Amino acid sequence: MAVTGWLENLRAAEKTALLQDGRRKVHYLFPDGKEMAEEYDEKTNELLVRKWRVKSALGALGQWQIEVGEPALPGAGSLGPELITESNANPIFMRKDTKMSFQWRIRNLPYPKDVYSVCVDQKEHCVVVRTTNKKYYKKFSIPDLERYQLPLDESSLSFAHANSTLIISYQKPKEVLVAESELQKELKKVKTAHSSDGDCKTQ
């Protein structure tokens, strides 16, 4: 079963854990050389960050690619403040899950709710967001469902709009909820270092 297959991949990965600033940070190294780093709220076990890194064909480490959590601001640190401020006016897409749902937030979308259309494209296995005024269009996949080889279900999709932010939610299938619960049990077996230990690298 695909759900079991991904769980087995997680179990087989080499894992290290660090407790820092109220977050439990877990680093996974898979047999194929891929790396995944996750950060959980220490008290609630809510997933705050998930990012991936792969090696190039020449063996060099690539940049971390964020799947869940705040995106890095493009050019931050190299552009002037005025350019960074200007870029902040563009729509900002990020994923921030809840216990029961995958959730995405698109900031800087000031249009009223009835302008938006959010639907599933079964052929491309993705979610499509568009506006009737043709001011915004985006397609995105749900990597978790792909890893568990589960289909997209339009009835699990919903959205809301407030404070110039479009919030898209997709109710997690029961298979994912069970798998996430099993993963938390697995992570409890991983010895967790503390940032004060001084000999554990942070991600």
Side-chain angles (χ1 to χ4, degrees):
M1 188 177 174
V3 173
T4 306
W6 175 240
L7 262 178
E8 289 306 316
N9 285 345
L10 293 173
R11 289 190 176 110
E14 182 182 325
K15 295 179 282 292
T16 55
L18 172 71
L19 200 59
Q20 184 181 48
D21 301 328
R23 296 187 175 199
R24 185 159 46 97
K25 302 181 178 183
V26 185
H27 178 265
Y28 304 76
L29 178 60
F30 296 94
D32 62 1
K34 286 183 181 178
E35 295 177 76
M36 181 175 77
E38 293 182 326
E39 296 181 18
Y40 294 89
D41 184 286
E42 179 189 355
K43 295 179 179 178
T44 66
N45 285 333
E46 179 183 339
L47 177 66
L48 303 173
V49 174
R50 179 187 291 136
K51 53 188 178 180
W52 292 85
R53 183 165 67 177
V54 298
K55 288 184 178 180
S56 70
L58 298 177
L61 286 173
Q63 295 292 317
W64 285 102
Q65 302 297 317
I66 295 175
E67 181 179 310
V68 178
E70 289 276 358
L73 187 65
S78 61
L79 296 177
E82 69 283 352
L83 291 178
I84 293 175
T85 302
E86 183 178 345
S87 71
N88 276 343
N90 295 324
I92 299 172
F93 178 85
M94 65 166 290
R95 176 173 157 187
K96 186 180 186 304
D97 292 354
T98 67
K99 279 284 189 182
M100 303 304 293
S101 298
F102 304 122
Q103 194 172 91
W104 301 263
R105 294 167 184 260
I106 310 175
R107 299 174 184 155
N108 299 331
L109 288 181
Y111 321 112
K113 184 180 178 181
D114 58 10
V115 166
Y116 304 98
S117 166
V118 181
C119 62
V120 166
D121 184 328
Q122 294 290 359
K123 186 176 180 181
E124 296 194 26
H125 201 69
C126 66
V127 177
V128 180
V129 183
R130 55 166 59 90
T131 58
T132 56
N133 60 10
K134 302 188 182 336
K135 296 288 188 180
Y136 187 80
Y137 178 85
K138 186 172 185 65
K139 295 194 298 186
F140 61 92
S141 62
I142 305 179
D144 307 71
L145 297 186
E146 294 178 354
R147 287 190 286 265
Y148 290 121
Q149 294 182 25
L150 295 170
L152 277 165
D153 181 358
E154 183 109 32
S155 65
S156 297
L157 195 61
S158 62
F159 71 94
H161 186 267
N163 302 319
S164 295
T165 300
L166 186 66
I167 303 170
I168 303 165
S169 300
Y170 186 95
Q171 187 175 347
K172 293 178 182 177
K174 63 180 183 300
E175 295 92 341
V176 171
L177 293 173
V178 170
E180 288 181 345
S181 177
E182 289 297 314
L183 176 60
Q184 289 304 315
K185 292 177 186 176
E186 190 71 22
L187 292 180
K188 286 179 180 178
K189 302 175 187 176
V190 180
K191 182 181 178 182
T192 302
H194 293 260
S195 58
S196 58
D197 291 353
D199 59 351
C200 183
K201 68 175 183 179
T202 60
Q203 295 301 316

